[in-house]
Structures are given as structure tokens and as C-alpha cells.
Amino acid sequence: MAAPVPGRCSFFVQKKNRFCKMVVGKGKQFCGEHATMEGAGSRRIVCPLDPKHTVAEDKLHKHLKKCNSREKPKPVYFVENINAGSADGDETLHQGSLSERSRSEVESLLDKLKTAVEGLQCDLEDRVLSHLVLHDELNNPKNGDSAHKHLKQQSSILGHLEELGLLGRGRCFVEFGAGRGKLSHWIHEALKTRDELKTRDELKTCDEPKIRDELKTCDEPKIRDDLQLLLVERCSTRFKVDGKHQEDGVPFERLQVDIQHLDLSKVPLLRQRSLPLVGVGKHLCGAATDLALRCLLETPGLVDATEPPQKRLKPSEPAEPRAGVDPGIAPADSGPGSGPGPGTGSGSVLGLAVALCCHHRCEWRHYVGQQFFQQRGLGAAEFSAFCRMSSWATCGLRPTNQDHTLQDPTSQRGDDDEHEPAEETDADNRFVAAADRQQVGRLCKLLIDCGRRHYLKTKGFSSKLSRYVSTDVTLENVLLTAVPSSC
């Protein structure tokens, strides 16, 4: 670029070998970031809240009130560490990476692992399912390999939900670690009634404004009240798909909060109508799975675990209302004050389906299977070591003396970097052969997941572990499903 674009900043960015493309103010030559080049005006300083941007010194006080990095008021459903679990026996016994351990220590850990998994009735079942709603997308040639892998996983999760009788209206789906919200999007697509699809087709072909308005409002109360989708994600996410459903009248609500601090009983959307809950998640990494289980099954205000669970429902069958809740659909003109009182909590838990991953990121203080480990003579120290060894299941084929600059395909994160890799020192151990490390890693994952199943059993749920997709789709291919034991 020989000269800056008209109306753009005149500062030449050496690193990019071009002029800055930021828009300038009227009569200005440089943008706000490069205003110091004009030699006039206030000096720019680094923002004290976020060093990634600068601000005019004389406007600092005003900027601090609207900076995106400022501390925002906590939402009503934020309760610090409500799902964190006990801090007793935290990783104070952590003994460093596996590469720092002696041969005798590693052999002792392997003996304890083999003893712990003996007699466990916790086998994995190959159960690859699919759902018709994703058929067209799965066969769309425009989707690349990465998108196709995600679609296969979403399709199988929906298939498992349908098989368990959890995929239906009259309930609230809570997607933990929602990210862009693709799983909730496909749940919504799968639950569209024929009337909704017919109405949508009529809207596309109708040219009369009056008729279009009538079609838009004819089913609005039904769409709004018999299905809820709650997306929980702690990070701000770009390209969210739930924004595409704003005109559908479907309550897609996104909660930007860490699962560790989420009190579901205080979420306004759930308090307005106590629909039963279904927990879902696609690749809920490490401790997030344990936090989500506690959030669903231990949150004060939710239905007590000793209360008899509702019967499992067919996909087309609406949920039975709880005592004191009007079985009919709320009228369209019902306001915020017409719902249940402030003492009303969320509905009961119908079940869950969570794809597990990244066991090396689990933490003892959050882990729901502490009792399961302690019954086998294991504690925080062994748990920490097994978490680190679990990474061998996905990178165990790498030779021990391999140069770290080389990478084996088995150690790659094949889901668009949605998994965090284990430390290199944990993925590498000279005392265990490469052929054995992968099997040891799988046993560690299985033991950790069996602890989660034991926890679910104590809460009155019957659970199962399934390989819901093949390993060529993702190495983290285990799905945890659970429904009340009476079902």
C-alpha cells in the first residue's frame, strides 16, 4: 500500500507491512490507538484492567466504567463454589510429573490400578447411534472432515437421548460446556413438531403481511412454554448458533458462568416453569463433568434425591407436571408475576447424556467418586497419578525416546483443538512400554468413570458407559448416560 486508505489511520504497521486499517475520527489523521503520533492531545496509557489495549489518560475514569474487562455484577444464579465439592484431601499430596517418579513408584501405582479395576462391572459397550434430523447434514459434501466428525458425535448423542426416552418436549435441556451451542441447536431441530414445520413452510411462501403475522403468533405460547434450552458456558463465544433461533419463540438462554458457581434453582428461566431437567454435554472436559453432576444432583432447591423420580417419557409424551404446577401451558399474556413464587425451584432430573474427555484435567476436590476410590484404599495421591496416566490412552503409542518436535497422529487433538493435551512429561514414561501405555491409560479412564457411575447410583440413577462413535472420529469416544433407577 503506497498510501493509507481514505478515512483510515495513517500509521504504518511495520510488522504487517501496511497501513493501519482502523477508522479515524472526523478531521483526524490517526485512529485512537495511534493518536499519540499526532503529537497533540492526551497521552495514551495501558488500560489497568486489560493490558491488551490502551486508553487516553484524561479519559481513563470514564473508560473504566465501560471497559469490557471490568468486573461485572454477579448474576442471581452465581453462588461461589456451590458445586466445587469438599476441599479436604486436596492435591497437597501431588508428587510432580510421572517422569520424576522412580521405577518402584510407577510399578506400585500400576499394581494398585490393576487391583482396583479387578472385578469391576463397568464394561464399555460399542453403541454407535444416529438421528434422522442430522441425515442431510451428514451427507452434505460442503462439510469438511472436521465438521463431519462433530456432526457424527452430535447425531449419536441425540440417538442415545432418543433411545433413553429423554429426547422430547415438556422439559428443559441444560447443555453444560455449550460452546457455540450446536448440540442444543440439533436438539431443538429434532423436537420441531409437524405443525411448527408446516407453519414455517407457510411463512416462507406467504406474501400477505397480515397472514404472516397470524402464522407467527398462532403457536407462540406452545413453543415458548413446553420446551426450554439452557446453555452454560463460562467463556464468551463467537459464532453462537442459538442466535439463529431468536425469532422462533424458543427460550434459548445462555448463562456465562463457570459450572462450579452455578445454582440452577436460582435461574429465572427455570423458576418461571418447573420443567424436568435433562443434562447434556459434548466433550465436557475433566473436572467439568464432576461439576455438572453436582450441579444437577446436589444443588439446593432442586427436587430432593430421595423423592421418587418421574417415569421415563417417550419422545412424543409431555412431562407430567409436579405437584402444585398447572399442567396446562401458561397463557400468552402471562407476565413475570404470574409464575411460581420465589420459593419455587427447578424441576426434577429425568436423566443425562455427557460425552467424557480429558481425564488428565480432573481434580480430586471436584471429583464425585471420592468414596468409590476410598473404598478401594485409594486417595488423592493415587487419583492425581491416575489422572496423569489417563493421557496415555490418547497419546500412549508415542515412542518414549521420540523427539518432541515430532508429533504422532495419535497425539493430535482431532476436534478442532477442543481438548487440552497432557503435559509432555506425563505423556512420556521410560518405565512403561509404548504398547502398554495405551491400555494403562484406558484403565485409568475407566476407573475414574466407574467412580462417577458409583456416585450416580448413590443418587438413585442407573448409568451406562458406551463408545458412542468410532475412534477414527475421536479418541475421546465414551458417553456417560443415566436415568432414574426406577426407569
Side-chain angles (χ1 to χ4, degrees):
M1 299 172 64
V5 178
R8 304 293 174 135
C9 181
S10 298
F11 181 80
F12 189 80
V13 185
Q14 294 288 348
K15 186 177 181 180
K16 297 182 178 180
N17 197 31
R18 62 167 174 78
F19 286 96
C20 175
K21 295 183 179 180
M22 295 290 289
V23 178
V24 298
K26 187 176 180 180
K28 300 288 186 180
Q29 187 179 1
F30 296 94
C31 66
E33 193 66 24
H34 303 121
T36 53
M37 303 301 297
E38 290 185 319
S42 175
R43 183 173 67 95
R44 295 191 70 83
I45 60 174
V46 175
C47 175
L49 299 179
D50 183 4
K52 295 180 181 179
H53 65 272
T54 61
V55 60
E57 189 173 21
D58 59 351
K59 296 180 180 178
L60 177 61
H61 182 69
K62 181 180 179 181
H63 170 79
L64 293 178
K65 294 181 179 179
K66 59 182 181 180
C67 179
N68 289 332
S69 299
R70 72 189 185 280
E71 185 177 357
K72 300 177 179 65
K74 297 291 189 297
V76 294
Y77 46 78
F78 180 96
V79 179
E80 189 170 2
N81 293 325
I82 187 173
N83 303 313
S86 173
D88 297 337
D90 202 357
E91 274 84 358
T92 54
L93 300 177
H94 172 65
Q95 298 179 12
S97 65
L98 296 176
S99 62
E100 298 173 357
R101 297 176 186 263
S102 65
R103 177 183 292 274
S104 60
E105 288 177 321
V106 173
E107 290 176 349
S108 175
L109 286 171
L110 293 177
D111 289 339
K112 289 181 179 180
L113 175 64
K114 292 175 182 177
T115 302
V117 298
E118 280 182 1
L120 282 182
Q121 297 179 351
C122 198
D123 295 333
L124 287 171
E125 177 187 8
D126 289 318
R127 193 75 177 152
V128 180
L129 303 179
S130 62
H131 195 280
L132 186 63
V133 73
L134 284 99
H135 179 268
D136 291 342
E137 281 297 311
L138 284 169
N139 292 281
N140 187 348
K142 294 182 179 179
N143 289 321
D145 291 340
S146 178
H148 196 253
K149 289 181 178 181
H150 286 292
L151 290 169
K152 279 186 175 181
Q153 295 171 62
Q154 291 154 358
S155 180
S156 186
I157 292 175
L158 261 65
H160 280 269
L161 287 171
E162 188 169 51
E163 185 179 61
L164 292 169
L166 298 176
L167 188 63
R169 304 185 75 89
R171 61 207 68 187
C172 175
F173 290 88
V174 184
E175 183 180 0
F176 295 98
R180 295 174 58 192
K182 277 292 188 70
L183 184 56
S184 291
H185 163 77
W186 287 116
I187 289 174
H188 171 253
E189 292 296 307
L191 295 179
K192 285 179 179 175
T193 63
R194 293 180 180 177
D195 291 339
E196 286 178 286
L197 293 172
K198 182 180 178 181
T199 302
R200 192 177 298 272
D201 292 337
E202 290 173 348
L203 279 169
K204 291 179 180 178
T205 58
C206 181
D207 294 328
E208 293 291 334
K210 184 177 180 181
I211 299 178
R212 286 177 62 88
D213 292 340
E214 292 176 355
L215 289 172
K216 284 182 179 180
T217 58
C218 63
D219 272 346
E220 189 173 338
K222 180 179 179 181
I223 298 173
R224 179 165 50 232
D225 286 334
D226 72 340
L227 175 65
Q228 297 173 340
L229 294 123
L230 197 65
L231 288 74
V232 182
E233 175 59 58
R234 66 180 179 180
C235 302
S236 179
T237 309
R238 300 177 64 192
F239 310 117
K240 297 183 284 286
V241 297
D242 39 302
K244 299 178 181 179
H245 299 283
Q246 297 300 320
E247 297 180 358
D248 293 347
V250 178
F252 273 80
E253 181 163 329
R254 183 173 285 268
L255 308 181
Q256 188 174 338
V257 62
D258 194 308
I259 305 171
Q260 181 174 337
H261 311 302
L262 173 60
D263 184 348
L264 281 176
S265 67
K266 296 183 179 180
V267 176
L269 179 68
L270 301 183
R271 293 169 66 87
Q272 292 171 7
R273 181 171 172 81
S274 299
L275 294 178
L277 307 179
V278 177
V280 295
K282 175 177 170 287
H283 294 300
L284 204 54
C285 292
T289 296
D290 302 297
L291 297 174
L293 292 176
R294 277 204 176 90
C295 185
L296 278 173
L297 305 177
E298 291 187 13
T299 298
L302 291 177
V303 177
D304 192 81
T306 58
E307 180 177 327
Q310 294 182 338
K311 68 175 184 178
R312 198 169 82 226
L313 306 174
K314 297 179 180 179
S316 59
E317 183 180 355
E320 292 183 359
R322 289 174 54 205
V325 178
D326 187 358
I329 295 171
D333 58 352
S334 61
S338 62
T344 304
S346 308
S348 58
V349 179
L350 290 181
L352 59 92
V354 175
L356 309 171
C357 77
C358 302
H359 294 70
H360 59 274
R361 297 184 63 200
C362 293
E363 297 181 33
W364 176 256
R365 69 189 182 104
H366 298 319
Y367 183 52
V368 296
Q370 291 185 14
Q371 183 184 22
F372 173 82
F373 261 62
Q374 290 165 352
Q375 288 174 352
R376 284 154 180 77
L378 305 174
E382 290 81 10
F383 178 81
S384 177
F386 292 159
C387 286
R388 291 174 171 269
M389 292 162 68
S390 70
S391 64
W392 295 351
T394 52
C395 59
L397 294 180
R398 182 168 52 207
T400 53
N401 295 325
Q402 181 178 358
D403 185 351
H404 288 168
T405 59
L406 301 176
Q407 293 182 333
D408 186 87
T410 58
S411 67
Q412 296 298 300
R413 289 178 285 167
D415 295 325
D416 289 338
D417 294 337
E418 69 179 10
H419 308 304
E420 290 197 11
E423 296 179 17
E424 289 292 333
T425 52
D426 292 339
D428 223 2
N429 192 282
R430 60 189 181 278
F431 302 129
V432 184
D436 298 331
R437 284 202 301 276
Q438 191 174 52
Q439 179 60 20
V440 170
R442 288 173 179 168
L443 289 177
C444 290
K445 284 178 175 285
L446 182 63
L447 184 64
I448 294 170
D449 292 337
C450 285
R452 290 164 171 166
R453 289 193 62 192
H454 176 270
Y455 169 81
L456 287 166
K457 185 177 181 180
T458 63
K459 296 297 181 181
F461 283 78
S462 175
S463 60
K464 184 167 62 174
L465 294 169
S466 308
R467 296 187 187 94
Y468 73 109
V469 290
S470 58
T471 54
D472 61 337
V473 175
T474 175
L475 294 175
E476 300 279 16
N477 64 340
V478 176
L479 183 73
L480 173 64
T481 56
V483 292
S485 299
S486 60
C487 300

